[in-house]
Short mmCIF file of all heavy atoms in Angstrom, two decimals:
data_model
loop_
_atom_site.label_atom_id
_atom_site.label_comp_id
_atom_site.label_asym_id
_atom_site.label_seq_id
_atom_site.Cartn_x
_atom_site.Cartn_y
_atom_site.Cartn_z
N ALA A 11 94.55 -87.54 -5.03
CA ALA A 11 93.61 -86.67 -5.73
C ALA A 11 92.27 -87.35 -5.90
O ALA A 11 91.21 -86.74 -5.70
CB ALA A 11 94.19 -86.24 -7.07
N ASN A 26 72.93 -77.61 -1.22
CA ASN A 26 72.57 -76.51 -2.11
C ASN A 26 73.80 -75.63 -2.32
O ASN A 26 74.45 -75.21 -1.37
CB ASN A 26 71.43 -75.70 -1.49
CG ASN A 26 70.91 -74.63 -2.43
OD1 ASN A 26 71.37 -74.51 -3.56
ND2 ASN A 26 69.96 -73.86 -1.95
N PHE A 36 83.96 -68.05 7.60
CA PHE A 36 85.17 -67.37 7.16
C PHE A 36 85.28 -67.41 5.64
O PHE A 36 85.63 -66.41 5.01
CB PHE A 36 86.39 -68.03 7.80
CG PHE A 36 87.69 -67.42 7.41
CD1 PHE A 36 88.07 -66.20 7.92
CD2 PHE A 36 88.55 -68.07 6.54
CE1 PHE A 36 89.27 -65.63 7.56
CE2 PHE A 36 89.75 -67.52 6.18
CZ PHE A 36 90.12 -66.29 6.69
N LEU A 37 84.98 -68.56 5.03
CA LEU A 37 85.04 -68.67 3.57
C LEU A 37 83.82 -68.05 2.90
O LEU A 37 83.92 -67.55 1.78
CB LEU A 37 85.20 -70.13 3.16
CG LEU A 37 86.51 -70.79 3.57
CD1 LEU A 37 86.51 -72.25 3.16
CD2 LEU A 37 87.70 -70.07 2.98
N GLN A 38 82.67 -68.11 3.56
CA GLN A 38 81.48 -67.49 2.99
C GLN A 38 81.63 -65.97 2.92
O GLN A 38 81.10 -65.33 2.02
CB GLN A 38 80.24 -67.82 3.82
CG GLN A 38 79.78 -69.24 3.66
CD GLN A 38 78.57 -69.54 4.53
OE1 GLN A 38 78.03 -68.66 5.18
NE2 GLN A 38 78.16 -70.80 4.54
N TYR A 42 86.79 -62.35 4.85
CA TYR A 42 86.53 -61.03 5.44
C TYR A 42 87.27 -59.91 4.70
O TYR A 42 87.53 -58.86 5.25
CB TYR A 42 86.88 -61.00 6.93
CG TYR A 42 85.99 -61.92 7.73
CD1 TYR A 42 86.42 -63.17 8.14
CD2 TYR A 42 84.70 -61.54 8.05
CE1 TYR A 42 85.61 -64.01 8.85
CE2 TYR A 42 83.87 -62.38 8.77
CZ TYR A 42 84.33 -63.62 9.17
OH TYR A 42 83.50 -64.43 9.88
N TRP A 43 87.64 -60.15 3.45
CA TRP A 43 88.35 -59.15 2.67
C TRP A 43 87.47 -57.92 2.42
O TRP A 43 87.94 -56.79 2.50
CB TRP A 43 88.83 -59.74 1.35
CG TRP A 43 89.43 -58.71 0.46
CD1 TRP A 43 88.91 -58.20 -0.67
CD2 TRP A 43 90.66 -58.02 0.66
NE1 TRP A 43 89.75 -57.24 -1.20
CE2 TRP A 43 90.84 -57.12 -0.39
CE3 TRP A 43 91.65 -58.08 1.65
CZ2 TRP A 43 91.93 -56.29 -0.49
CZ3 TRP A 43 92.75 -57.24 1.53
CH2 TRP A 43 92.88 -56.37 0.48
N ARG A 53 85.12 -46.62 4.02
CA ARG A 53 84.54 -45.61 4.92
C ARG A 53 85.40 -44.36 5.04
O ARG A 53 84.86 -43.26 5.00
CB ARG A 53 84.29 -46.24 6.29
CG ARG A 53 83.09 -47.15 6.29
CD ARG A 53 82.73 -47.61 7.68
NE ARG A 53 82.23 -48.96 7.58
CZ ARG A 53 82.63 -49.97 8.32
NH1 ARG A 53 83.53 -49.80 9.24
NH2 ARG A 53 82.12 -51.16 8.13
N SER A 55 87.39 -43.14 2.80
CA SER A 55 87.26 -42.43 1.52
C SER A 55 85.92 -41.73 1.43
O SER A 55 85.83 -40.62 0.92
CB SER A 55 87.41 -43.41 0.36
OG SER A 55 88.69 -43.97 0.36
N LEU A 58 86.13 -38.68 3.62
CA LEU A 58 86.97 -37.67 2.97
C LEU A 58 86.20 -36.99 1.83
O LEU A 58 86.27 -35.77 1.67
CB LEU A 58 88.25 -38.31 2.45
CG LEU A 58 89.30 -37.37 1.88
CD1 LEU A 58 89.83 -36.45 2.97
CD2 LEU A 58 90.43 -38.17 1.26
N VAL A 70 85.21 -23.17 0.18
CA VAL A 70 86.41 -22.61 -0.42
C VAL A 70 86.18 -22.26 -1.90
O VAL A 70 86.34 -21.12 -2.31
CB VAL A 70 87.61 -23.58 -0.27
CG1 VAL A 70 88.83 -23.06 -0.98
CG2 VAL A 70 87.91 -23.82 1.20
N ILE A 71 85.78 -23.25 -2.68
CA ILE A 71 85.63 -23.02 -4.12
C ILE A 71 84.44 -22.11 -4.40
O ILE A 71 84.57 -21.10 -5.11
CB ILE A 71 85.51 -24.36 -4.86
CG1 ILE A 71 86.82 -25.14 -4.70
CG2 ILE A 71 85.19 -24.14 -6.32
CD1 ILE A 71 86.78 -26.54 -5.23
N ASP A 72 83.28 -22.45 -3.84
CA ASP A 72 82.11 -21.59 -4.06
C ASP A 72 82.31 -20.23 -3.44
O ASP A 72 81.85 -19.22 -3.97
CB ASP A 72 80.85 -22.24 -3.49
CG ASP A 72 80.41 -23.45 -4.30
OD1 ASP A 72 80.93 -23.61 -5.42
OD2 ASP A 72 79.55 -24.20 -3.83
N ALA A 79 82.66 -12.70 -7.79
CA ALA A 79 81.46 -12.09 -8.39
C ALA A 79 81.06 -10.84 -7.62
O ALA A 79 80.70 -9.82 -8.22
CB ALA A 79 80.31 -13.09 -8.42
N ALA A 81 83.07 -8.92 -5.84
CA ALA A 81 84.09 -7.90 -6.09
C ALA A 81 83.88 -7.24 -7.45
O ALA A 81 83.99 -6.01 -7.58
CB ALA A 81 85.48 -8.51 -6.00
N SER A 84 80.75 -4.94 -7.18
CA SER A 84 80.98 -3.69 -6.45
C SER A 84 81.92 -2.76 -7.22
O SER A 84 81.73 -1.54 -7.19
CB SER A 84 81.53 -3.98 -5.05
OG SER A 84 82.80 -4.59 -5.15
N SER A 87 79.85 -1.19 -9.87
CA SER A 87 78.97 -0.15 -9.32
C SER A 87 79.75 1.12 -9.02
O SER A 87 79.24 2.23 -9.21
CB SER A 87 78.29 -0.65 -8.05
OG SER A 87 77.45 -1.74 -8.34
N ALA A 88 80.99 0.96 -8.54
CA ALA A 88 81.81 2.14 -8.22
C ALA A 88 82.25 2.87 -9.48
O ALA A 88 82.24 4.10 -9.54
CB ALA A 88 83.01 1.72 -7.38
N GLN A 93 81.38 7.44 -14.84
CA GLN A 93 80.95 7.69 -16.21
C GLN A 93 79.80 8.69 -16.21
O GLN A 93 78.69 8.37 -15.81
CB GLN A 93 80.53 6.40 -16.89
CG GLN A 93 81.65 5.42 -17.10
CD GLN A 93 81.19 4.17 -17.82
OE1 GLN A 93 80.01 3.96 -18.05
NE2 GLN A 93 82.15 3.33 -18.17
N LEU A 111 101.63 11.01 -13.88
CA LEU A 111 102.68 10.21 -14.51
C LEU A 111 103.96 11.02 -14.70
O LEU A 111 105.06 10.53 -14.43
CB LEU A 111 102.18 9.67 -15.86
CG LEU A 111 103.09 8.72 -16.61
CD1 LEU A 111 103.31 7.45 -15.80
CD2 LEU A 111 102.50 8.38 -17.96
N PHE A 114 105.64 11.48 -11.32
CA PHE A 114 106.28 10.22 -10.91
C PHE A 114 107.59 10.02 -11.66
O PHE A 114 108.61 9.68 -11.05
CB PHE A 114 105.33 9.04 -11.16
CG PHE A 114 105.96 7.71 -10.93
CD1 PHE A 114 106.20 7.26 -9.64
CD2 PHE A 114 106.32 6.89 -12.00
CE1 PHE A 114 106.79 6.03 -9.43
CE2 PHE A 114 106.91 5.67 -11.79
CZ PHE A 114 107.14 5.23 -10.50
#
Side-chain angles (χ1 to χ4, degrees):
N26 185 3
F36 179 74
L37 294 177
Q38 287 178 5
Y42 295 101
W43 174 252
R53 285 187 215 131
S55 297
L58 186 65
V70 176
I71 296 172
D72 289 347
S84 64
S87 296
Q93 294 182 353
L111 185 63
F114 173 74

